[in-house]
Amino acid sequence: MVTGNLFHSKKNSWPPEEYVSRNTLQLFNFDSAAPPKQAWRRRLNSHANILKEFSVTFMEAIQMVRLGIRLWSYVREEASHGRKAPIDPFTRESCKPSASQGVPLGGMGSGSISRGFRGEFRQWQIVPGTCNISPVMANQFSIFISRDGGNKKYASVLAPGQHEGLGKTSDEGISSWGWNLNGQHSTYHALFPRAWTIYDGEPDPDLKVSCRQISPFVPHDYRDSSLPSAVFVYTLVNTGKERAKVSLLFTWANSIGGISHFSGDHVNEPFMTAKGNPPVTFAVAASETQNVNVTILPCFGLTEGSFITARKMWGKMMQDGQFDRENFNIGPSMPSSPGETLCAAVSASAWVEPYGKCTIAFALAWSSPKIKFSKGSSYYRRYTKFYGTSERAAVDLVHDALTNYKHWEEEIEKWQSPILEDIRLPEWYKFTLFNELYFLVAGGTVWIDSSSPSADVKSDQDPPIKVESKNIKVAEAEMNCRHSTGFEHTSTSGCNSSTGVGLKQNGNSTIPRKKRSSKHFSHHLKTEDQLDGNEDVGRFLYLEGVEYIMWCTYDVHFYASFALLELFPKIELNIQRDFAKAVLSEDGRKVKFLAEGNYGIRKVRGAVPHDLGTHDPWNEMNAYNIHDTSKWKDLNSKFVLQVYRDFAATGDMAFGIEVWPAVRTAMEYMEQFDRDDDGLIENDGFPDQTYDAWTVHGVSAYCGCLWLAALQAAAAMAQRLGDKFFAETCKTKFFSAKSEFEKKLWNGSYFNYDSGSSSNSKSIQADQLAGQWYTSSSGLGPIFDEFKTRSSLQKIFDFNVMKIKGGRMGAVNGMHPNGNVDESCMQSREIWTGVTYAVAANMLLAGMEEEAFTTAEGIFIAGWSEEGFGYWFQTPEGWTTDGHYRSLIYMRPLAIWSMQWALSPPKAIIEAPKINMMDRIVISPATFSLSLPETRVRKIANKTACFGNSSLQCTC
C-alpha cells in the first residue's frame, strides 16, 4: 500500500486553454464535444520528425557477428517458404517511422488501423503479424462551407498542408484536392480510446469544428471491445452572422494499407467473392437526421482513365456540396487494373444557423471474419460470435456503431473519471496511463471466438440473427437519427481480390443473442467478471512488438499483464491457462538456436515457453530461437508469480486448482539449476533471461530475486489449495535460498548484478528487485527487510535514474557504482520503458512516491512530451541515452498499469491471506526436494473435477 500523501507534480500539466481559446472551449461545452482537461495534445502544424533507430557499437557487432550470420541465413530460409521470421533486423520499411502517431481505431483483436495526430490513416494491421505503416492518403475527411448565397466559400481537406507523394495539383488524383489547412489553429487531444481534433476557425474563421473519435474499448465488456469499428462525431458551431451550408466528406480507398490498393482486380459492388486469402470488407456510413442530408459516391478513381476521377469528385462537392441521390441505385463498378485505386465517398450536409450548432456522425467498420496463420490453422474472430461470419457483417457493424457510440462513451467516462479526478496524481501520469493502452488495439492483437479451427466453429453460410427493423428504429430515435447511409467495399490480403460496394439504408441489423446489460465499473476488478465464470470469452493473442512477431511473449507479458488483469481479467486468466497447458506439454521437433549454433528440441516439458508461437500459435510454440529458453532462469518463476497474483486478485478457486499441476511442475523443473543444493538457482554464464544479450554468471539479482518470490508465491498458493506439505517445502527452501542470496549479493546498499567476477558483476541493475515488486503486488509479505528494499531502490533512483540527463529519460538498465553507464552490452546501456514503469511501481509499494513519479516521468518526458523524441502511441522497448529507439510499438510499456495497481490495489489483494515464510516446520533433507509424492499430486489435481471440466491434462 502507498501512503495517502502522494507526490503531486505541477510539471507537464497541459491545460486545454493553452491550445484552444477559452471561448471555443465554452462553445463546445456540451455532448462531450470539448476535449478533456487531461489529455495528450499537439498542434496540427507540429513537425513529425523521423525517428532515430539505435545502432550497435563496434565491439557489440564483433561479439554478435556469428549470431548475425546465422540470423540472416534463417531470415532468408523463412522467406523462401513465404514466411516472415519473427525477428528480422535486416528488412526495413520503405516508409521510415516518424513522430506522427495518434489514437488507433477499433476494439481489440479484430485488426486495427491507426490514425495520426494530423488526421492520416496509417499503421495498418488487418492481417495478423503484418504491419503496413504507410498512410493511405486518399482516406480523408474534408469540409466544404458556403455562405452568403455562395459568394463566400471555403473548402479543404481536414489535414494540414501538402504531403510527400501527393504529386502535382494538375493531376487527376488527390493532389487536385484543396490541401489548404495550415494547422496553426487546429489541435489534437488524445485520451485513449477517444481523441478530439479542434479546428478553431480553420478553414472558415467563423466556424468552429470539433471531431471526436470514439472506439469501443470498454473494460469488462467482452462483446463490444472486440468490434472492428470506430465513430467520428463532428460538432459544428457557427459564430458568424450568416447561415452556413456545411458539407463534410469522408473518402476511403479500397486498401488494407501499404500498396495493396494498387494490386488490381478490385471492384466496388454489392456482393463479393474471395480469391484465396480471407477478404476484408470496409463499410463507411453517416447518420441522416432531420437536419443532415447524406449522399454517396460509390466509386471514383485516382488516375486519368477513371470514369469519375478524384478531381471531378472534388469539383462536384465544391459546386453542390453533395452527390446525386441517384447514386444509391448505382450497380457494381468495373474491376480495377493493376496500379489503379478504387475509392468511395460519403457526404453529410447541413445548414448551420448563425450562432447555431449541429452534430454529424460518421462511422467506419471493417470485417475480416476469418484469420489464417501461415502454417495452416484458421480461426474466426471474436466479433463473429455476435455478427456471424459473413464479410457483409461490416454493414451491421457500422450501423450499430452509430447506434451505440453514446453507450460506449458513458462507460468509458465511468471507468476513467475516478482516475482523472484524483487530485493526488500528476497530470502527465493520468493521460499517459490511458494512452499507453493503445497497444492492446495496435499491438497486433488477435481475439478468436473459439480454440477450434474455423471450419469446426460454424459455417460461412450461417445466417446472422435478424430482428424486426422497428427495434432498430427505436434505438435510432434515441440519437435523433432516421437511418444511417453508406457503402461498403472489400479487399483481400492477397494480390487478387473481388470486392464490392453496397448500400445500407433502413435495413435490418444483426443483434446479439445475449441482451447487453449496462455495467457500472470503476478501475478495480469487477464482480461480474468473477461471478459469470462460465462465459466463453475466447482466446487472445498479442505481439511482443510489431518488430518482434511472437505471440504473448511471456517474459514481457510479466510486465504488461497488469493492464489485462485490471481491465479484462478473463482474458488474462485465459492466457495463463494457455501457458499452464504448455508447461505440461513437449514438442520434440529439432530447432537450431542461433546464438551458439547448437540444436535442441522446440519445447521441453516443465519449461514455460518463451511465446505461443508465430506462424501457428498454440500449436507450434517457442518461435524465439536465439537461445534455448528451456534453460532460461526467469520464465518459470514469472509463471508462478503471475498465476498466484491472478489467483489472489480474482479469488477464482477453480482457476487455481486447474493450473496447479503446471505450477508444481514449473517449480520442480527449476531444481536442476540449483547446482549446490543451497535452495538458490544459479545462472549459466550466458544471457539466460529476458535481458537476452546481457550475460549472467552464478547467482543473479534479477533471476535470484524472482526465484525467491516464486517460492513465496508457490507456498502461499499451496497453502490456500490445502497442500501443506508442498507449502512447507517451499518455505524451507526459501529460508535457505534467501540466506545465500543476501550473503552472495548484498553489498551494504544494493544487490550486485551477479556473484561472478566479471567487470559488471557489481553493476546496479534497475530491475534487481523484480521479485519483490511482484510479491508486494500480490499481497504477500516482503522478501527483504525494509532497509534493504528502500536502500536498493534509492540507489537505483540516485544512479540509474538521476545520473541520466537529470532523471529526464527513465532508468538505465545497468550502472556502475562509479556513476558510469554499464556498457558491457547493448541492453545494459539501454533505458527500457516498461522496466522503468515497473521500478516506479516498486517504489510506490515501498512508500517512495516522489522518487516513483520522478522515475516514470522520465519516460513521459523522453517519449511523449513535445521536447522528447516522438514516441507517442508507438512506445518502444527502449532507447539509448541519446534517445535512439529499439523496437517500436512494444508490449512491455503496459507496465505503467502496475503503478496504478500499486496505487489502488483490488480489495482481494489487500485482504489476501498472509503467509509467514519464517514460520516453518522442520523438513528432513530427504524431503527437501520440491518433487511431490505421486499420490499427493493426484489428490490435488483431482480436485479440478469439483469445478467442472478442466482444460489441463496433468501427467503424473
Side-chain angles (χ1 to χ4, degrees):
M1 287 293 293
V2 300
T3 65
N5 184 23
L6 293 184
F7 170 62
H8 180 61
S9 173
K10 295 295 184 182
K11 296 177 292 181
N12 293 313
S13 177
W14 295 359
E17 293 83 359
E18 293 184 6
Y19 291 79
V20 183
S21 69
R22 192 179 299 272
N23 181 54
T24 299
L25 290 173
Q26 291 175 346
L27 291 173
F28 287 135
N29 191 24
F30 72 99
D31 195 31
S32 301
K37 292 181 180 179
Q38 295 90 10
W40 179 88
R41 312 184 200 278
R42 277 295 176 279
R43 300 191 186 280
L44 264 60
N45 65 346
S46 298
H47 176 63
N49 57 288
I50 300 298
L51 305 180
K52 296 180 180 179
E53 191 171 11
F54 89 110
S55 59
V56 296
T57 65
F58 177 76
M59 288 305 299
E60 289 167 353
I62 294 297
Q63 293 169 1
M64 295 189 292
V65 64
R66 291 184 177 87
L67 168 61
I69 293 171
R70 297 186 191 106
L71 182 57
W72 180 75
S73 177
Y74 173 68
V75 169
R76 291 189 61 190
E77 179 186 355
E78 287 293 283
S80 70
H81 295 292
R83 298 190 296 264
K84 183 174 176 60
I87 300 175
D88 178 6
F90 309 106
T91 305
R92 287 289 177 266
E93 290 272 358
S94 57
C95 178
K96 294 183 179 180
S98 63
S100 56
Q101 292 293 91
V103 174
L105 306 173
M108 300 189 299
S110 296
S112 71
I113 306 166
S114 290
R115 193 169 184 228
F117 73 87
R118 295 184 299 184
E120 68 275 16
F121 293 84
R122 58 190 310 127
Q123 206 83 33
W124 300 70
Q125 297 188 74
I126 305 295
V127 179
T130 301
C131 180
N132 292 310
I133 69 174
S134 302
V136 177
M137 294 307 297
N139 297 346
Q140 296 289 346
F141 283 100
S142 302
I143 193 167
F144 303 83
I145 306 159
S146 177
R147 293 179 182 270
D148 190 21
N151 293 323
K152 190 186 296 184
K153 289 189 174 184
Y154 304 89
S156 181
V157 178
L158 289 175
Q162 287 282 340
H163 289 255
E164 184 180 351
L166 283 181
K168 300 177 181 179
T169 56
S170 59
D171 293 345
E172 293 297 317
I174 61 175
S175 57
S176 64
W177 296 354
W179 298 86
N180 302 318
L181 197 77
N182 176 276
Q184 181 179 356
H185 302 292
S186 301
T187 51
Y188 181 82
H189 311 256
L191 186 66
F192 179 89
R194 296 190 292 174
W196 292 254
T197 305
I198 306 299
Y199 305 92
D200 196 356
E202 287 190 279
D204 181 350
D206 292 328
L207 186 71
K208 312 297 184 182
V209 181
S210 166
C211 174
R212 188 165 83 258
Q213 173 186 311
I214 309 145
S215 290
F217 184 95
V218 184
H220 307 278
D221 186 335
Y222 296 88
R223 178 195 182 278
D224 284 10
S225 295
S226 72
L227 303 184
S229 58
V231 176
F232 306 89
V233 181
Y234 280 84
T235 302
L236 313 173
V237 179
N238 184 2
T239 61
K241 298 179 180 179
E242 306 163 326
R243 71 193 301 241
K245 183 182 180 182
V246 181
S247 298
L248 288 165
L249 175 70
F250 191 10
T251 53
W252 196 260
N254 197 331
S255 172
I256 56 171
I259 58 172
S260 61
H261 48 292
F262 294 137
S263 60
D265 202 25
H266 288 208
V267 182
N268 290 3
E269 61 179 348
F271 302 100
M272 55 78 59
T273 55
K275 294 183 178 179
N277 291 317
V280 182
T281 304
F282 292 95
V284 178
S287 289
E288 187 169 72
T289 70
Q290 225 172 4
N291 302 319
V292 177
N293 178 52
V294 175
T295 58
I296 66 168
L297 181 63
C299 185
F300 69 90
L302 304 182
T303 55
E304 189 172 351
S306 304
F307 177 70
I308 299 177
T309 64
R311 174 184 287 274
K312 290 181 180 178
M313 184 277 298
W314 189 267
K316 174 69 173 176
M317 288 298 300
M318 285 279 292
Q319 178 178 328
D320 300 334
Q322 62 184 40
F323 301 115
D324 297 331
R325 298 291 295 185
E326 291 77 12
N327 289 349
F328 285 107
N329 301 317
I330 291 178
S333 67
M334 295 295 292
S336 64
S337 303
E340 180 184 9
T341 302
L342 290 186
C343 306
V346 173
S347 168
S349 305
W351 284 97
V352 188
E353 298 300 325
Y355 311 108
K357 302 175 182 179
C358 180
T359 298
I360 298 175
F362 291 88
L364 166 69
W366 55 96
S367 179
S368 177
K370 184 187 293 187
I371 55 175
K372 184 177 185 297
F373 292 101
S374 59
K375 286 194 175 179
S377 296
S378 297
Y379 305 90
Y380 283 126
R381 296 190 191 265
R382 166 74 174 170
Y383 76 89
T384 63
K385 182 180 181 71
F386 315 106
Y387 283 86
T389 59
S390 167
E391 290 80 16
R392 287 188 57 83
V395 175
D396 295 314
L397 283 160
V398 79
H399 174 273
D400 290 355
L402 288 170
T403 302
N404 297 329
Y405 77 86
K406 289 188 177 181
H407 167 76
W408 298 343
E409 287 197 285
E410 289 173 1
E411 298 302 302
I412 290 167
E413 288 172 2
K414 289 177 187 176
W415 158 47
Q416 294 184 336
S417 291
I419 295 173
L420 297 176
E421 295 170 2
D422 189 342
I423 62 173
R424 305 174 303 160
L425 302 176
E427 296 296 298
W428 65 264
Y429 168 79
K430 295 177 184 180
F431 56 79
T432 307
L433 176 73
F434 292 113
N435 285 336
E436 288 285 18
L437 289 172
Y438 84 93
F439 188 83
L440 290 178
V441 172
T445 53
V446 170
W447 194 355
I448 66 168
D449 178 29
S450 168
S451 60
S452 302
S454 62
D456 299 329
V457 175
K458 59 184 78 170
S459 167
D460 278 349
Q461 305 302 317
D462 287 348
I465 300 172
K466 297 291 183 179
V467 299
E468 294 297 327
S469 60
K470 62 183 180 182
N471 294 335
I472 300 304
K473 289 180 181 176
V474 172
E476 290 177 339
E478 295 176 359
M479 55 182 292
N480 191 27
C481 174
R482 288 206 309 270
H483 54 263
S484 57
T485 308
F487 65 88
E488 62 165 331
H489 57 126
T490 316
S491 297
T492 71
S493 54
C495 292
N496 298 314
S497 64
S498 296
T499 62
V501 57
L503 307 181
K504 174 71 177 178
Q505 194 167 14
N506 253 350
N508 295 340
S509 289
T510 304
I511 297 298
R513 288 179 173 85
K514 185 176 180 180
K515 184 178 180 182
R516 185 208 325 270
S517 61
S518 178
K519 299 177 183 177
H520 180 86
F521 49 78
S522 68
H523 55 288
H524 291 312
L525 291 172
K526 292 310 295 171
T527 307
E528 299 97 302
D529 287 335
Q530 301 169 32
L531 294 180
D532 190 8
N534 294 324
E535 181 187 358
D536 175 16
V537 300
R539 302 176 84 179
F540 189 85
L541 299 169
Y542 64 149
L543 292 174
E544 178 178 338
V546 298
E547 298 178 35
Y548 295 162
I549 309 173
M550 294 164 282
W551 301 109
C552 295
T553 300
Y554 200 73
D555 55 308
V556 184
H557 180 69
F558 176 75
Y559 298 83
S561 57
F562 283 89
L564 283 175
L565 180 58
E566 178 89 8
L567 306 176
F568 298 95
K570 288 183 180 179
I571 290 178
E572 165 62 13
L573 293 186
N574 278 358
I575 290 175
Q576 301 302 348
R577 289 185 177 101
D578 284 337
F579 277 92
K581 286 184 282 187
V583 168
L584 302 177
S585 71
E586 183 160 304
D587 185 343
R589 287 174 287 183
K590 294 292 184 182
V591 173
K592 183 177 182 179
F593 299 112
L594 304 180
E596 301 296 333
N598 57 323
Y599 287 84
I601 67 172
R602 178 173 292 277
K603 170 65 179 68
V604 177
R605 186 187 185 279
V608 174
H610 172 274
D611 55 80
L612 292 178
T614 292
H615 301 303
D616 193 8
W618 298 299
N619 300 315
E620 185 182 89
M621 293 170 284
N622 279 334
Y624 177 91
N625 60 351
I626 304 298
H627 299 289
D628 181 356
T629 59
S630 69
K631 298 177 181 178
W632 276 19
K633 310 307 185 295
D634 62 337
L635 287 169
N636 282 39
S637 296
K638 288 175 175 177
F639 171 70
V640 175
L641 287 168
Q642 287 184 75
V643 164
Y644 179 75
R645 179 205 56 189
D646 297 354
F647 171 61
T650 63
D652 192 332
M653 186 63 69
F655 166 77
I657 293 176
E658 181 182 0
V659 301
W660 176 249
V663 172
R664 183 263 305 169
T665 301
M667 293 297 290
E668 289 177 356
Y669 183 86
M670 293 298 288
E671 287 197 291
Q672 63 183 297
F673 303 123
D674 179 7
R675 315 293 186 193
D676 51 7
D677 294 326
D678 60 358
L680 189 60
I681 62 170
E682 287 86 32
N683 292 78
D684 285 328
F686 74 101
D688 49 357
Q689 24 80 42
T690 193
Y691 300 90
D692 58 352
W694 200 356
T695 298
V696 195
H697 299 275
V699 176
S700 78
Y702 183 69
C703 295
C705 187
L706 287 171
W707 173 242
L708 292 176
L711 287 168
Q712 189 174 7
M717 190 168 182
Q719 186 163 296
R720 292 181 67 174
L721 292 177
D723 190 348
K724 294 182 179 180
F725 180 84
F726 190 76
E728 296 302 334
T729 303
C730 289
K731 287 163 68 175
T732 300
K733 189 174 284 285
F734 173 87
F735 183 78
S736 172
K738 179 188 174 186
S739 174
E740 289 298 311
F741 182 88
E742 293 183 340
K743 183 190 304 181
K744 293 179 178 179
L745 297 181
W746 179 249
N747 61 22
S749 60
Y750 66 95
F751 293 99
N752 290 335
Y753 176 69
D754 65 27
S755 63
S757 56
S758 64
S759 61
N760 69 323
S761 288
K762 289 183 170 54
S763 286
I764 308 161
Q765 185 179 12
D767 215 2
Q768 62 185 266
L769 293 181
Q772 174 76 67
W773 165 50
Y774 246 76
T775 56
S776 297
S777 298
S778 304
L780 296 170
I783 298 176
F784 309 109
D785 60 59
E786 183 179 359
F787 170 77
K788 289 187 176 68
T789 298
R790 290 181 66 95
S791 175
S792 298
L793 291 173
Q794 190 65 51
K795 193 75 172 183
I796 293 165
F797 179 76
D798 292 341
F799 280 70
N800 301 59
V801 177
M802 296 308 295
K803 288 186 181 297
I804 305 297
K805 305 291 176 67
R808 301 175 67 80
M809 294 196 71
V812 70
N813 284 335
M815 177 72 79
H816 290 297
N818 63 3
N820 294 325
V821 173
D822 182 344
E823 297 186 345
S824 56
C825 70
M826 70 176 188
Q827 290 176 340
S828 63
R829 63 183 173 91
E830 287 179 328
I831 296 159
W832 283 11
T833 53
V835 168
T836 298
Y837 287 142
V839 170
N842 213 350
M843 291 174 176
L844 286 172
L845 292 163
M848 302 168 64
E849 291 89 0
E850 183 165 349
E851 292 87 348
F853 282 112
T854 300
T855 296
E857 188 179 23
I859 300 301
F860 169 80
I861 293 172
W864 289 82
S865 75
E866 289 187 280
E867 61 186 272
F869 302 106
Y871 297 132
W872 45 82
F873 299 102
Q874 51 189 332
T875 316
E877 159 75 309
W879 47 67
T880 58
T881 54
D882 56 3
H884 294 188
Y885 75 88
R886 182 170 64 82
S887 187
L888 291 172
I889 310 182
Y890 197 77
M891 181 198 295
R892 204 181 321 246
L894 285 170
I896 192 174
W897 278 85
S898 68
M899 294 180 66
Q900 191 59 28
W901 188 271
L903 290 165
S904 301
K907 183 179 179 181
I909 291 295
I910 297 173
E911 298 177 354
K914 301 297 186 290
I915 178 171
N916 186 350
M917 296 301 289
M918 298 306 169
D919 180 18
R920 59 191 179 88
I921 62 173
V922 177
I923 298 181
S924 66
T927 57
F928 190 70
S929 171
L930 291 175
S931 300
L932 295 179
E934 181 178 358
T935 55
R936 188 172 297 274
V937 174
R938 286 179 175 169
K939 181 178 179 181
I940 298 297
N942 287 341
K943 287 186 180 180
T944 309
C946 299
F947 294 88
N949 294 329
S950 169
S951 58
L952 275 180
Q953 295 296 322
C954 178
T955 55
C956 301

